Amino acid sequence: MPHKVAHFKEYIPKAFPHAKDLILDTEILMMDTKTGKPLPFGTLGVHKKAQFQDVNVCLFVFDCIYYNGESLMQKPLKERKNILHTTMKVPNRIVFSEMREIDEPGKLAKMIAKVLKLGLEGLVLKDTMSIYEPGKRLWLKVKKDYLFDGAMADSADLIVLGAWYGSGQKGGMMSVFLMGCYNTETKAFCTVTKVHTGHDDKTLERLQSELKMEKISGNPGKVPRWLNCTRTMVPDFVARDPKKQPVWEITGAEFTQQHDVHTADGISIRFPRVTKIRTDKTWETATNVAELKTLFKNSKENTDVSLLLKEYNDETCTDDHSISSENVDTTNSSPKKRKLLDESCGASGSVAASSNSPKKIKEEPHAIDKLKQKNAHSKQIPKTTKTKEEFDGTIVKLEKPLPILFEAIKALFINSDHPEIERYFFAYGGEILKPEKAEEATHIFHSSNKIKEVNEMWPKNSKHLQIKWVVDCVNNQNLVPMESYMVKWKPTYNNIQAMKHNELFHRL
């Protein structure tokens, strides 16, 4: 453990220069310094880290619950996050988990799709006014295996190769099972995962006599030649004949790769469970190592999010430029009827669906980078004099030399997860301000066409516009009229507060 955290003594003071003491809610991951993306779980060990190039151990910060002698646990999430916003990032060392405010089901669906397309695990949904209560399950996790009755989860048909004794009420019986697949090149059976959930008590009792096993008591010297197994995966029992063993469908959160644990090219399944006993399959028709490699690659590169997006077209969510049904590959989508997003997500979908609800939700992926389209419909920017890129169905055409469209415009981008649009704004002569310089802004850009709160740092004479104004100006190679892009203020305050903010926000 010390090798994982020792260097943070140097970087945490740099990220929190005004903090004398603090307690953070964080997670440690490996960060690829070239792409800025986190590496999979299980890559933190000393011997594992050596397998990767251009990586750093990185601290992802989710929350702050104690700061300079004051407990923040009774303060709402919004206030706790404000403390993090006043600190600084240390690239590839201290990174703050991004947040986005969601008030419509369509926006939530697109955000989940974006995160899954990036190969990340999922989102955590939180009430913006919630306090920090340890031990209570007030947050909602959204992972792909939670959605549509598991239709988006990773799964494989694997062979029962061995078993371990259980514990507690299941002690003395086989209740944890070693699952694997056949390697057609080496002619050996390789391990993939160990699973202990998915069977009821009656099924477990029946399996004690149905499974034909030999007891080896975890002795590596007794592992048969047909089984390619690491020392950490030597079971209490092994199959007498792997070619006569049953095949089970194993479903989990995601495919992972840990070469020092499992032997099917290191591929495994996180949080596995038995979802079906495949009586129609044999060891020959079960998933083999080559097929498992393909499943692993497709899971990381071509996650099918069409089920998420088909219920929400562009008309449902007009202010999201990051991902739409037009730029997602739907060739692998299932024709089978699925439940709607709000049914699959439970409370998270229903809360997000209420645009008038005072309880807003924020999601926290570990890292949200620019969405990279890797499907057949993606459009890469070629290195020529004329290029193009899509924003929510809008083609932005770039020509060289670039005209200075946004000269003398000092812009503040609010809650923008569209760095590509900000790059166009900068390339066409605009100046982008940091939040601490908000009082200098001449224009303030919002992702939505409505806002519910006003920041007192915003200048009275600044113009508040939808971010799409930048896109359309670039398309037209000229500044377009602002009237149809003006942001409306929809207050959630009482009359006295509303009058105060009306005075501040008088131009809207």
Side-chain angles (χ1 to χ4, degrees), residues 82-131:
N82 286 338
I83 292 179
L84 297 180
H85 293 159
T86 61
T87 61
M88 57 175 49
K89 296 181 181 179
V90 181
N92 300 319
R93 293 296 188 180
I94 308 291
V95 176
F96 302 112
S97 179
E98 273 194 54
M99 293 191 307
R100 291 292 176 266
E101 198 166 285
I102 296 295
D103 56 9
E104 295 177 14
K107 295 179 183 178
L108 179 60
K110 290 186 177 185
M111 194 64 198
I112 296 171
K114 177 179 179 179
V115 169
L116 297 181
K117 290 291 286 183
L118 286 169
L120 303 179
E121 185 178 0
L123 301 176
V124 176
L125 307 183
K126 302 180 181 181
D127 184 345
T128 59
M129 299 306 294
S130 63
I131 62 176

Side-chain angles (χ1 to χ4, degrees), residues 165-371:
Y165 285 119
S167 59
Q169 294 181 348
K170 298 176 182 178
M173 66 186 299
M174 296 181 294
S175 62
V176 182
F177 301 95
L178 179 64
M179 308 302 299
C181 57
Y182 185 66
N183 190 326
T184 56
E185 295 182 359
T186 64
K187 310 301 181 185
F189 288 84
C190 302
T191 68
V192 176
T193 191
K194 55 192 300 186
V195 61
H196 60 86
T197 57
H199 292 311
D200 56 30
D201 292 341
K202 289 184 178 180
T203 303
L204 277 177
E205 185 177 351
R206 189 183 75 247
L207 289 173
Q208 305 307 305
S209 58
E210 287 185 2
L211 295 175
K212 306 303 179 183
M213 298 285 191
E214 293 285 350
K215 186 175 182 179
I216 64 171
S217 302
N219 186 345
K222 293 184 178 181
V223 174
R225 292 184 177 180
W226 55 262
L227 179 59
N228 182 6
C229 179
T230 63
R231 294 181 69 89
T232 57
M233 284 293 119
V234 177
D236 295 328
F237 299 87
V238 293
R240 291 179 184 175
D241 184 351
K243 296 182 179 180
K244 294 182 180 180
Q245 289 293 96
V247 175
W248 298 343
E249 179 185 77
I250 306 298
T251 301
E254 63 174 335
F255 287 117
T256 61
Q257 198 166 33
Q258 296 176 286
H259 289 281
D260 58 340
V261 178
H262 290 288
T263 56
D265 197 37
I267 299 172
S268 186
I269 302 176
R270 290 190 73 209
F271 308 123
R273 62 187 182 276
V274 181
T275 48
K276 190 175 183 181
I277 296 178
R278 299 299 304 265
T279 55
D280 59 323
K281 295 251 182 180
T282 68
W283 71 277
E284 292 178 300
T285 56
T287 304
N288 59 39
V289 172
E291 292 168 338
L292 189 65
K293 289 181 180 179
T294 301
L295 290 174
F296 175 78
K297 181 179 180 181
N298 289 340
S299 173
K300 300 302 179 185
E301 297 181 358
N302 302 303
T303 300
D304 180 15
V305 295
S306 58
L307 287 174
L308 276 169
L309 299 180
K310 71 177 183 178
E311 302 295 340
Y312 302 102
N313 56 30
D314 290 342
E315 295 179 358
T316 308
C317 182
T318 58
D319 64 327
D320 189 326
H321 302 270
S322 59
I323 184 169
S324 69
S325 57
E326 296 178 3
N327 55 28
V328 174
D329 186 2
T330 58
T331 56
N332 296 321
S333 60
S334 170
K336 185 179 179 180
K337 293 183 179 180
R338 305 294 185 188
K339 291 184 178 181
L340 297 179
L341 174 69
D342 53 356
E343 294 175 351
S344 299
C345 289
S348 64
S350 60
V351 172
S354 177
S355 59
N356 296 321
S357 172
K359 289 187 176 181
K360 298 178 185 177
I361 287 179
K362 293 198 178 200
E363 343 83 8
E364 289 195 345
H366 292 310
I368 301 293
D369 302 316
K370 180 184 176 183
L371 176 64

